[in-house]
Amino acid sequence: MVMGKLRIGGAWSGVLDIELDEWTVAMLRQEIANRSGCGAPHCLNLICAGRVLRDGDGTDKLTQLGVKNNAKILAAKVSVDQDGKSVKEEFLAEEERSKKLSRLKTAATKLATRHADGSLPVEDFNLELENQSGEKLQLGSETDQRAIMMGLMLHANAKALMRREQYSDALEVLTMGEEAFSLCNQKLIEMVDNVPILQIDMVWCYFMLRDISWLSVAGIRLAKAREGIERAHGKESTRLRILQGGRYPELALHLRMELLEGVIAYHSGQLQKSKDTLTSAQAKYFQLQVPDESLSFFMSMGYKEREAKRALRMNNLDVGTALDFLVEEKAKRAQKREEDLRRQKEILEQKKYGTTPLRKAVNLEKLNELVSIGFQKELAAEALRRNENDTQKALDDLTNPETNAVLQNEIISRKRKRLREKAKSASENLVSMGFERASVEAALRMFGSEEEALNYLVGQPNVNAAEGANPSLPQPDHEVGGSNAEGSGGGPSSLGTTDHDGEGPSSRNDPPEERDMEMEDELTGELQNADAYSDYDIEVTKEGEAIIEYLALLNSAENA
């Protein structure tokens, strides 16, 4: 008979004297459940030496599972399914979850492709990379841009899931984000801290799921994360401190990283290392506790509690610099709104010019260069559109009388096409209201606009507009939309013609891209609401609780 002591922490803390070669995992779980008062034993996971103790067939004794005298056992509470779902319901729920994650990845891929390759956005915004100062970045090739955008979108979505405590789903999305970042040139990725922060978030999900089976992987991830943070921020965050003007935005991030390192050290049996790391994390936790008087001061000025705490934590609790921070952030938000409005106007302008044969948007910077040397804007845009934004080729076409004439005819043709489509739409709208088609068409010819035609038709309910038209009224150009609308002109046929409101020949028969609006909105909504400090803005309450829990476990082990 092998008697032994087990040191228990977590749901119940204390020492158990048991027969190691007689007790099973189920017996131990039941005993701890009884002592902790948590009720059903299946509410507990027992973790020893970094692995979860499994019941197996119920006959394996603790000694057979490698549990030795003076072993430390963590009893972690697990959530219990209160709804009593059937196996079928659970399967269907998992299938639905898998489908949603697949849709999310597909939507992120399409969004990143559209916004990284110069294609004309179908939305009224652009996803653009920025540094911590809010300045636009152009990192690497088109492939690199696409990989980084996709990684950022997925990471932002995962953070939203983490805030809702959906850690399992968040872990799946973080894995997809990690895969996306891996497609980028690693030298570019090493310049920024996004991947290290993603690694820390993954380990945080492991911890919140209490899944110690990931222990070895978690250790590797955290080691890489610390190395990446130091590379991006500089040793002891010196580079970041310069960029941030003396601020301390990274403190909460380092707190979480040290906590997780302490947890891993504890479950690996490195008790002194665990204690040192957790003590350092606790010091940072205390450093991040906002004094009531400081919080009250900011709230009296009209700031919300959340933004006041954020400002104080980012500025080492210094009231003066925190106030400056809040003022700067407000100015940045106002500037961003102005830039978004400007970009929306630019996109609307680009849509007016159509897309190149390879479905790219007209480059407005190159367009403005051509306009600055005297070319008419719409004509210059058509030249760039036809030549895939090649400025020299566009310039050649503009200065060649024959090709210039072709460009002008194309613009006239496109305008006529728009007028025909507008007139057709107005006609169908009025006919759908119950007016006779002949009366509608006559009224549109008389007045030219849908609104004026409608006013006329409403005021003449018993008169057929085709017969009651006043011949003295000016008539619009009847040839607009006629058989000669497409127009033709001299010049090389290699320039081609357009068949879809300015889009190139290559897109003539392309079906419209299928979009998953729900997933795209979910992805872009999170990313557009983020700012340069979002990755560092961590509410550290759960971290504080975990530090207390593991320091208690260490204290219990030392006093045993």
Side-chain angles (χ1 to χ4, degrees):
M1 180 184 300
V2 179
M3 295 294 296
K5 295 180 181 294
L6 294 182
R7 309 187 186 283
I8 314 298
W12 175 78
S13 296
V15 178
L16 289 179
D17 292 309
I18 65 171
E19 299 172 4
L20 295 174
D21 58 353
E22 292 293 330
W23 279 50
T24 63
V25 174
M27 293 167 64
L28 178 60
R29 187 184 288 110
Q30 182 66 63
E31 180 65 21
I32 296 173
N34 292 341
R35 292 179 180 246
S36 66
C38 72
H42 60 272
C43 294
L44 295 174
N45 267 346
L46 303 184
I47 302 163
C48 180
R51 63 189 180 91
V52 179
L53 299 178
R54 307 292 183 187
D55 290 348
D57 60 7
T59 61
D60 289 341
K61 304 300 187 284
L62 293 175
T63 50
Q64 294 174 295
L65 296 172
V67 179
K68 300 177 181 179
N69 184 35
N70 281 321
K72 295 180 290 296
I73 306 287
L74 175 64
K77 290 183 179 180
V78 295
S79 59
V80 183
D81 185 2
Q82 300 294 337
D83 299 324
K85 290 182 179 178
S86 66
V87 173
K88 181 179 179 180
E89 287 173 325
E90 289 179 357
F91 173 78
L92 291 174
E94 179 60 30
E95 187 177 34
E96 183 63 28
R97 173 174 169 271
S98 179
K99 284 180 181 178
K100 183 173 180 180
L101 290 170
S102 177
R103 286 171 56 201
L104 191 74
K105 184 176 182 179
T106 301
T109 303
K110 289 184 177 181
L111 270 169
T113 300
R114 286 205 303 269
H115 288 267
D117 67 359
S119 297
L120 184 63
V122 294
E123 308 91 348
D124 62 352
F125 62 86
N126 252 6
L127 296 176
E128 298 174 309
L129 302 178
E130 298 179 349
N131 62 17
Q132 290 178 341
S133 300
E135 298 167 342
K136 301 291 184 292
L137 291 179
Q138 183 72 33
L139 291 177
S141 66
E142 181 182 306
T143 300
D144 295 327
Q145 292 276 112
R146 185 164 59 246
I148 293 173
M149 282 184 181
M150 187 173 173
L152 290 174
M153 280 188 284
L154 291 167
H155 193 182
N157 182 265
K159 283 183 175 294
L161 292 169
M162 290 166 67
R163 287 194 296 271
R164 298 196 292 268
E165 300 188 1
Q166 296 173 249
Y167 296 107
S168 182
D169 286 352
L171 193 52
E172 295 264 14
V173 179
L174 287 167
T175 302
M176 292 191 290
E178 182 183 42
E179 180 184 342
F181 280 128
S182 72
L183 301 176
C184 182
N185 184 320
Q186 290 306 298
K187 289 184 178 180
L188 291 175
I189 283 294
E190 288 176 358
M191 296 166 57
V192 294
D193 60 8
N194 300 90
V195 173
I197 293 173
L198 182 142
Q199 299 273 14
I200 293 170
D201 284 343
M202 292 183 83
V203 180
W204 180 250
C205 287
Y206 300 155
F207 175 71
M208 294 307 293
L209 291 168
R210 297 289 176 162
D211 190 348
I212 306 299
S213 62
W214 288 92
L215 187 66
S216 59
V217 178
I220 294 170
R221 288 193 185 284
L222 282 182
K224 288 182 177 178
R226 180 169 283 282
E227 180 183 339
I229 290 287
E230 184 169 311
R231 185 169 50 241
H233 292 180
K235 195 167 186 63
E236 297 182 355
S237 300
T238 50
R239 187 179 301 120
L240 182 68
R241 197 74 61 247
I242 294 170
L243 287 172
Q244 295 298 332
R247 294 191 173 112
Y248 294 77
E250 81 289 357
L251 198 59
L253 182 69
H254 280 267
L255 159 60
R256 177 175 283 184
M257 181 165 60
E258 288 184 353
L259 160 64
L260 294 170
E261 288 171 337
V263 169
I264 289 171
Y266 174 82
H267 288 293
S268 302
Q270 300 171 292
L271 300 189
Q272 188 56 50
K273 179 181 177 181
S274 176
K275 184 176 181 179
D276 293 342
T277 308
L278 289 169
T279 301
S280 176
Q282 189 174 49
K284 289 181 174 63
Y285 174 76
F286 290 141
Q287 194 176 342
L288 287 167
Q289 298 311 296
V290 175
D292 291 341
E293 54 272 21
S294 298
L295 182 60
S296 177
F297 169 74
F298 281 105
M299 293 182 70
S300 70
M301 296 178 67
Y303 292 105
K304 295 180 180 177
E305 180 180 353
R306 176 70 176 146
E307 62 180 337
K309 283 185 174 180
R310 182 181 194 252
L312 286 162
R313 285 171 175 164
M314 296 286 174
N315 292 278
N316 206 23
L317 304 184
D318 184 274
V319 173
T321 53
L323 185 57
D324 292 340
F325 176 86
L326 287 167
V327 173
E328 288 175 18
E329 287 300 290
K330 184 177 180 180
K332 284 181 182 178
R333 287 194 296 271
Q335 182 181 354
K336 186 177 186 302
R337 283 194 294 270
E338 290 179 4
E339 290 177 354
D340 288 344
L341 289 172
R342 177 187 56 78
R343 183 55 189 141
Q344 286 174 9
K345 290 179 181 178
E346 288 180 349
I347 292 172
L348 289 174
E349 182 181 356
Q350 287 178 307
K351 288 181 178 180
K352 182 175 69 175
Y353 301 136
T355 56
T356 71
L358 295 180
R359 302 187 69 84
K360 309 297 183 185
V362 170
N363 186 302
L364 293 183
E365 186 176 339
K366 294 181 178 181
L367 174 60
N368 290 330
E369 289 177 9
L370 292 173
V371 171
S372 70
I373 58 177
F375 291 104
Q376 192 266 337
K377 196 167 193 178
E378 199 168 10
L379 195 64
E382 178 62 15
L384 285 169
R385 187 194 70 75
R386 286 176 173 271
N387 290 287
E388 289 294 341
N389 288 309
D390 187 310
T391 304
Q392 187 56 53
K393 290 181 179 178
L395 194 57
D396 292 342
D397 282 350
L398 288 166
T399 53
N400 182 309
E402 291 186 354
T403 52
N404 187 293
V406 172
L407 294 174
Q408 293 189 50
N409 283 332
E410 185 57 45
I411 292 170
I412 293 169
S413 173
R414 187 160 62 246
K415 285 182 177 178
R416 286 174 171 170
K417 181 179 179 182
R418 287 201 199 101
L419 287 173
R420 289 200 308 275
E421 290 176 347
K422 185 177 179 181
K424 182 180 178 181
S425 175
S427 177
E428 293 302 325
N429 288 342
L430 293 173
V431 170
S432 69
M433 296 179 189
F435 298 108
E436 293 182 2
R437 187 173 295 277
S439 300
V440 166
E441 291 179 354
L444 287 171
R445 282 196 299 273
M446 287 167 55
F447 298 101
S449 76
E450 181 179 347
E451 183 179 357
E452 291 182 357
L454 177 59
N455 290 337
Y456 175 81
L457 290 167
V458 170
Q460 301 290 327
N462 299 316
V463 179
N464 187 309
E467 299 173 358
N470 185 344
S472 66
L473 287 172
Q475 302 296 312
D477 181 4
H478 289 80
E479 288 304 312
V480 174
S483 59
N484 296 323
E486 292 302 321
S488 61
S493 60
S494 62
L495 281 176
T497 60
T498 60
D499 200 48
H500 182 54
D501 195 18
E503 291 189 3
S506 65
S507 64
R508 184 177 300 167
N509 298 315
D510 289 351
E513 180 187 17
E514 290 187 14
R515 297 175 60 199
D516 190 333
M517 296 295 295
E518 181 186 358
M519 289 297 103
E520 287 189 7
D521 288 346
E522 190 171 317
L523 286 163
T524 57
E526 289 297 333
L527 203 58
Q528 289 188 97
N529 290 330
D531 60 27
Y533 296 99
S534 294
D535 283 336
Y536 309 120
D537 187 15
I538 301 172
E539 177 58 57
V540 295
T541 303
K542 286 186 172 62
E543 285 81 355
E545 293 171 354
I547 290 169
I548 292 172
E549 176 186 347
Y550 274 85
L551 284 176
L553 289 172
L554 286 166
N555 186 55
S556 175
E558 288 176 352
N559 294 332

